[in-house]
Amino acid sequence: MATKIGIRQLVEFVLRKGDLIETKNSQNTAQMGAKIHRQLQSSRSDAYQSEVYLKTTVTMNGADYVIAGRADGIQTTDDGLLIEEIKTSDQAFEDLTENTHDLYWGQVKVYGYLLLKDHDDVDQVTLQLTYVQTNADKITKTLKILTRSELDDFFKTLITEYEYWLTLRADLRQQRNASITDLPFPFPAYRNGQRELAAAVYKTIRFQKRLFVEAPTGTGKTISTLFPAVKAMGEDVIERIFYLTAKQSTRHVAEGGITLMSADGLRLKSITLTAKDQIRFPEEQDVRPEENPFMIGYYDRLKPALKDLLTHEDQLTRAVIEQYARKHTVDPFEFSLDASLFCDVIICDYNYLFDPLVYLQRFFSEADDENFFLVDEVHNLVSRARDMYSAEIGDDPIAAILKLAKPDKSQPSDDLQQALKKVRRSFNRLRRVLTDDGQTALIAPEPPEKLLQTMRTFNEFMSDWLAQQAPSPLYDAARDYFFNSLTFVKIGDLYDGSYQTRIVSDGHHVIVKELCLDPSDFLNRSLSLGAGAVLFSATLSPMSYYQNVLGSADNSLAYQLPSPFPPKHQAILVTQYIQTTYHERPHSEAAIIASLHALVTAKTGNYLLFFPSYGYLTQIKAAFELAYPDIATTAQENAMDATARQAFLDQFQAEPDQTLVGFCVLGGIFSEGIDLRGDRLIGVAIVSVGLPGINPETDLIRDYYNHENGQGFAYAYQLPGMNNVLQAAGRLIRSTKDVGIVLLLDQRFASRRYTALFPEHWQYYQTIQSVPQLTATIDNFWHQVEENHED
């Protein structure tokens, strides 16, 4: 299979030079650009063909490379050939840099070269660059007529300059494939179900499908998906793997999988992409790009930096990227993106594929069946996707910005104040509508178009205003509000039947929310940008729910693995004598305290107790400590940073000589993604069925799915809550030697509505009718564990 190189990628890599000056914040979205393209294309003559795919094969160093791209339009008439490239931006045409012009024309020239290769009887072509300044609806057309020989020379020069990089790619690919041929599975033996999972992943890649996998804790999901994907890559079935995650900890697990295979001889390039605000050097913070030494002359130093990095390193982790970025004085975030073009495995956050505002345009501007997606802990993508496609803005920050601006008597400050007051008047009109109707909230299916128009005008002003300002507290506050406004406007352009607008007022301030209730269509489009995907998690039941909400109901396969651990290693106990509905909580407090005491006093060890809210956690913790002051406790706190989180987990040591009880929030930072193996954790209690708090916005999701499939309560409340329960319970059994108790404190767990959602390895769950029965059952469990251990 010949390696495919996109025309835009080729042109930008060879021709880009000078400073890394981040482009002026644009209101453009991919959807807006596509809409403008379609409008212009449809207005052309009948002789005009839109979206014409052009390609050629270049042989270098004994390997074939397909240079390919899609021209916006080609027109064939008696007067000859014309090829059009359409570009859209907020910037005025005359403000574009010389290098931007070179890049635009370089792309059109390659299309012209490819077009003439297909027309031997034509010796020249007209190249048309159509530039649309979106914020002014201004179209600028420029024409160049180039001959075949001129285009031949240009293309030859382009390829010659890229030859080193083509050869490097070929050598790396040959080395990669050779190392994969005899690559063994990196463990002495497969766990139960692991070989079957790896085979299912391999077949999914081969047949370019989507596969949803529920693989319980201990299955070895990461290596069972990465290993077959790497094998398929070695056979040239795919060219690049994207390993997409929701959490930093999961990215480290993926890095560990690559390290394991590398120890057995695997040679490929992998990279972990880190968020811009986390990887930038301290001296880059609050420095304008034109004063940032890591950005000035960036492209003049980029190629030597890449050559150094790629010839000396295989696993491009954050630390490695930072090391070489500092060595060559290049911005580490942009450097990682440029290096990713040469990598086989890209480990990154969900947003690099799915987020409409920050996705990787260099990979996902169009579909490419050489890419394959592995999406880890995919149950997190449901709420993450709603957040990605939703936005909100309010008028509350305006007063603070005006206060900062007022002492500054300059004209720019006065202009900013006037622009902000116009925005505030728009919010005031919305507030008066609510007040006049005697309402505090309003819901509508249409986008807030009048506010959006106000914010578009504000954004145009701010884009120019910020470019003229030096850093200051006023600059920072105005910029933050501007970024929020940009997001709001861009999301407003995405409205379809899955959106609702919610306007909320407290009498003084107004917040307007653009709520995406069902992002499945957007996710489906993103997943369609690759050859296929494997979406997996330890908890993915019911499978039909996840296939539906993640945009793959009609075109995906499902695979559920059993737990690799004996079910009787854990006791699943359901207390039927406890009700945790809001009105019953005061009456059930004593029974909950007694039940938790029974759990944590039967055996010395570490325990985690999960509650549906901080308020409920605080209530039960205070009552528990009052009743049993001699038992050591610790608790999750709001807004814990990485150091605080680790300090909390470090309290749960192996072989403890006294019991430690940790109080945590269900669905929070400690209910998934932590690994307390062995006797670092021997019991988990979950209070309530984990339903999200009833609120108007979740009710909108409920109403939407009631209309779609009649399962509104399940989709909005029950299933997200149950997933939190399963994730929290999954903290307990992490290896073949782990044993312990999961205590479910809510009688609703015993109902058919919930037992139908229990995973297979919960088949031996027991219902408990009283605290004395609970105490006896727990004692009996630990007695049997001791007997089995002695045997």
Side-chain angles (χ1 to χ4, degrees):
M1 181 176 68
T3 300
K4 186 169 77 172
I5 299 171
I7 289 172
R8 181 175 175 178
Q9 172 189 332
L10 170 67
V11 169
E12 290 191 352
F13 188 83
V14 174
L15 298 184
R16 196 181 288 278
K17 58 182 181 291
D19 301 340
L20 172 64
I21 303 301
E22 295 175 304
T23 56
K24 196 165 69 168
N25 294 293
S26 171
Q27 297 188 59
N28 289 349
T29 62
Q31 290 77 10
M32 182 190 298
K35 182 179 179 181
I36 293 171
H37 276 63
R38 289 193 297 268
Q39 288 173 342
L40 291 175
Q41 289 164 338
S42 63
S43 69
R44 303 303 188 230
S45 70
D46 293 340
Y48 186 93
Q49 292 179 278
S50 302
E51 304 296 326
V52 180
Y53 188 73
L54 298 170
K55 67 176 182 178
T56 190
T57 300
V58 177
T59 302
M60 286 191 178
N61 196 33
D64 290 340
Y65 303 86
V66 175
I67 311 296
R70 200 173 296 277
D72 290 328
I74 293 175
Q75 185 169 295
T76 306
T77 66
D78 294 339
D79 296 329
L81 297 172
L82 179 144
I83 190 162
E84 179 180 39
E85 178 68 14
I86 302 169
K87 297 295 184 182
T88 63
S89 173
D90 287 352
Q91 285 185 281
F93 183 76
E94 55 271 19
D95 292 339
L96 297 177
T97 65
E98 180 183 351
N99 190 225
T100 299
H101 282 285
D102 290 343
L103 295 174
Y104 286 172
W105 280 111
Q107 201 171 338
V108 192
K109 287 178 182 179
V110 176
Y111 288 134
Y113 167 81
L114 297 180
L115 184 62
L116 288 183
K117 278 183 69 72
D118 294 335
H119 292 80
D120 295 336
D121 56 331
V122 180
D123 195 49
Q124 68 179 30
V125 61
T126 299
L127 307 180
Q128 176 175 311
L129 177 62
T130 302
Y131 182 83
V132 182
Q133 184 185 349
T134 54
N135 57 5
D137 289 329
K138 182 180 178 182
I139 298 176
T140 303
K141 294 181 181 179
T142 49
L143 298 173
K144 291 184 180 182
I145 299 176
L146 295 181
T147 65
R148 180 182 296 275
S149 62
E150 288 174 317
L151 292 172
D152 285 350
D153 290 343
F154 172 78
F155 187 76
K156 183 178 180 180
T157 300
L158 201 66
I159 292 299
T160 299
E161 289 192 33
Y162 201 54
E163 181 175 4
Y164 169 80
W165 304 98
L166 288 173
T167 303
L168 175 63
R169 282 179 65 125
D171 292 344
L172 292 175
R173 183 178 173 190
Q174 185 177 13
Q175 173 184 272
R176 178 198 75 190
N177 289 0
S179 74
I180 293 172
T181 301
D182 297 319
L183 183 70
F185 188 70
F187 292 100
Y190 287 93
R191 292 180 184 173
N192 182 34
Q194 204 168 27
R195 183 188 294 274
E196 292 78 8
L197 172 56
V201 171
Y202 180 82
K203 290 176 182 176
T204 300
I205 297 171
R206 271 282 179 188
F207 293 107
Q208 298 191 348
K209 299 290 186 180
R210 289 184 205 168
L211 175 68
F212 281 75
V213 177
E214 182 178 71
T217 300
T219 307
K221 300 183 294 296
T222 301
I223 201 64
S224 299
T225 52
L226 265 177
F227 178 72
V230 167
K231 281 290 189 180
M233 180 186 291
E235 297 169 1
D236 285 334
V237 178
I238 53 174
E239 185 62 24
R240 189 177 289 109
I241 300 165
F242 287 87
Y243 193 100
L244 300 144
T245 76
K247 293 183 172 63
Q248 191 71 40
S249 59
T250 320
R251 291 194 274 284
H252 292 322
V253 174
E255 290 174 348
I258 299 294
T259 300
L260 275 173
M261 291 185 281
S262 299
D264 287 329
L266 176 65
R267 293 295 306 277
L268 56 67
K269 301 295 180 186
S270 69
I271 190 168
T272 304
L273 299 181
T274 305
K276 181 188 295 188
D277 60 346
Q278 295 179 27
I279 197 173
R280 283 209 160 150
F281 295 130
E283 54 266 50
E284 291 189 273
Q285 306 300 327
D286 300 322
V287 177
R288 297 177 68 168
E290 55 268 31
E291 299 171 357
N292 184 335
F294 295 92
M295 292 185 178
I296 299 170
Y298 171 88
Y299 289 108
D300 301 326
R301 297 186 297 275
L302 173 61
K303 290 170 189 173
L306 283 174
K307 182 178 179 180
D308 190 14
L309 175 72
L310 295 170
T311 53
H312 292 100
E313 306 288 346
D314 284 344
Q315 277 194 267
L316 312 183
T317 60
R318 173 180 174 173
V320 170
I321 289 292
E322 289 178 333
Q323 174 191 343
Y324 282 83
R326 190 168 285 284
K327 177 181 177 181
H328 292 274
T329 319
V330 291
D331 177 75
F333 176 71
E334 293 294 335
F335 184 46
S336 69
L337 297 183
D338 285 318
S340 69
L341 292 169
F342 294 88
C343 290
D344 307 295
V345 178
I346 299 173
I347 303 167
C348 58
D349 187 87
Y350 293 154
N351 60 6
Y352 286 102
L353 172 62
F354 298 109
D355 195 313
L357 306 180
V358 299
Y359 72 95
L360 291 173
Q361 292 191 32
R362 64 194 70 207
F363 291 113
F364 304 131
S365 59
E366 61 180 43
D368 186 347
D369 60 10
E370 292 186 344
N371 295 331
F372 194 86
F373 307 129
L374 301 177
V375 190
D376 196 0
E377 301 293 356
V378 73
H379 64 276
N380 286 303
L381 186 55
V382 181
S383 59
R384 277 286 299 274
R386 285 199 183 102
D387 290 341
M388 289 176 192
Y389 286 93
S390 299
E392 68 176 63
I393 196 164
D395 62 344
D396 193 15
I398 293 177
I401 303 173
L402 289 173
K403 185 176 181 180
L404 288 169
K406 192 172 183 179
D408 184 349
K409 304 303 181 181
S410 67
Q411 188 62 46
S413 175
D414 185 63
D415 292 342
L416 173 64
Q417 292 177 61
Q418 294 306 313
L420 286 167
K421 288 175 182 177
K422 288 179 183 178
V423 172
R424 187 165 62 182
R425 283 196 292 271
S426 188
F427 279 104
N428 286 339
R429 285 192 290 270
L430 292 172
R431 180 169 51 82
R432 282 195 295 270
V433 169
L434 291 173
T435 303
D436 291 346
D437 290 343
Q439 297 178 296
T440 59
L442 182 150
I443 295 170
E446 301 84 13
E449 196 51 57
K450 289 184 179 179
L451 178 62
L452 284 168
Q453 188 53 52
T454 299
M455 302 316 295
R456 289 188 187 103
T457 303
F458 174 73
N459 291 346
E460 291 169 15
F461 164 80
M462 285 300 299
S463 186
D464 293 329
W465 187 87
L466 287 170
Q468 308 301 320
Q469 305 303 307
S472 69
L474 173 60
Y475 176 94
D476 292 342
R479 178 198 57 196
D480 291 346
Y481 193 67
F482 169 53
F483 285 169
N484 197 15
S485 178
L486 278 176
T487 299
F488 187 79
V489 169
K490 288 178 179 180
I491 294 300
D493 291 332
L494 300 179
Y495 261 63
D496 60 14
S498 70
Y499 274 87
Q500 290 280 338
T501 300
R502 185 165 185 258
I503 305 171
V504 183
S505 172
D506 63 1
H508 303 286
H509 296 289
V510 176
I511 295 176
V512 181
K513 301 184 179 185
E514 299 167 323
L515 302 172
C516 180
L517 309 178
D518 175 14
S520 58
D521 284 345
F522 298 118
L523 297 177
N524 180 49
R525 288 176 217 165
S526 294
L527 291 170
S528 297
L529 294 170
V534 176
L535 305 98
F536 53 100
S537 173
T539 58
L540 220 56
S541 294
M543 190 72 76
S544 59
Y545 161 73
Y546 286 98
Q547 289 173 299
N548 191 339
V549 297
L550 296 175
S552 300
D554 300 325
N555 59 349
S556 63
L557 308 171
Y559 190 70
Q560 292 177 288
L561 278 76
S563 170
F565 308 133
K568 291 189 176 181
H569 274 199
Q570 63 179 353
I572 309 295
L573 308 180
V574 180
T575 59
Q576 285 198 307
Y577 54 89
I578 289 176
Q579 298 182 48
T580 66
T581 56
Y582 187 77
H583 294 295
E584 292 296 328
R585 287 180 184 179
H587 309 298
S588 61
E589 180 180 294
I592 290 174
I593 298 302
S595 300
L596 295 176
H597 182 257
L599 172 68
V600 305
T601 55
K603 180 176 174 63
T604 299
N606 299 320
Y607 298 84
L608 287 178
L609 317 180
F610 292 94
F611 299 83
S613 67
Y614 274 104
Y616 203 11
L617 180 157
T618 302
Q619 172 193 334
I620 299 299
K621 179 174 179 287
F624 184 89
E625 290 173 337
L626 182 63
Y628 308 109
D630 295 334
I631 299 177
T633 63
T634 185
Q636 176 182 344
E637 297 177 359
N638 262 320
M640 298 174 76
D641 60 19
T643 302
R645 295 178 193 180
Q646 191 58 52
F648 177 88
L649 295 174
D650 287 344
Q651 298 174 81
F652 294 79
Q653 292 297 315
E655 301 179 4
D657 55 12
Q658 68 171 358
T659 288
L660 176 64
V661 180
F663 288 76
C664 300
V665 176
L666 193 60
I669 54 177
F670 299 118
S671 63
E672 60 177 287
I674 64 169
D675 198 7
L676 299 174
R677 292 179 178 245
D679 61 1
R680 291 187 67 192
L681 184 66
I682 63 170
V684 167
I686 299 167
V687 180
S688 90
V689 293
L691 298 180
I694 294 175
N695 64 78
E697 290 168 21
T698 309
D699 281 349
L700 288 176
I701 299 173
R702 179 200 62 195
D703 296 343
Y704 173 86
Y705 281 108
N706 270 338
H707 179 267
E708 290 292 307
N709 58 23
Q711 299 186 65
F713 176 78
Y715 274 44
Y717 287 101
Q718 183 194 12
L719 297 177
M722 189 59 186
N723 187 275
N724 289 336
V725 169
L726 294 173
Q727 282 290 325
R731 299 314 94 209
L732 184 63
I733 305 297
R734 311 295 297 176
S735 72
T736 55
K737 296 181 180 180
D738 292 3
V739 294
I741 296 171
V742 174
L743 179 60
L744 305 176
L745 293 130
D746 193 311
Q747 65 178 17
R748 287 173 288 183
F749 280 120
S751 69
R752 175 62 186 165
R753 183 168 200 153
Y754 281 92
T755 58
L757 301 176
F758 283 8
E760 184 180 346
H761 56 282
W762 282 20
Q763 60 185 297
Y764 297 110
Y765 77 90
Q766 301 173 64
T767 55
I768 307 297
Q769 307 299 329
S770 64
V771 173
Q773 184 188 357
L774 176 65
T775 301
T777 303
I778 292 173
D779 289 342
N780 183 56
F781 173 81
W782 288 121
H783 180 68
Q784 289 182 345
V785 168
E786 290 178 9
E787 285 186 343
N788 292 335
H789 180 70
E790 292 173 359
D791 293 341

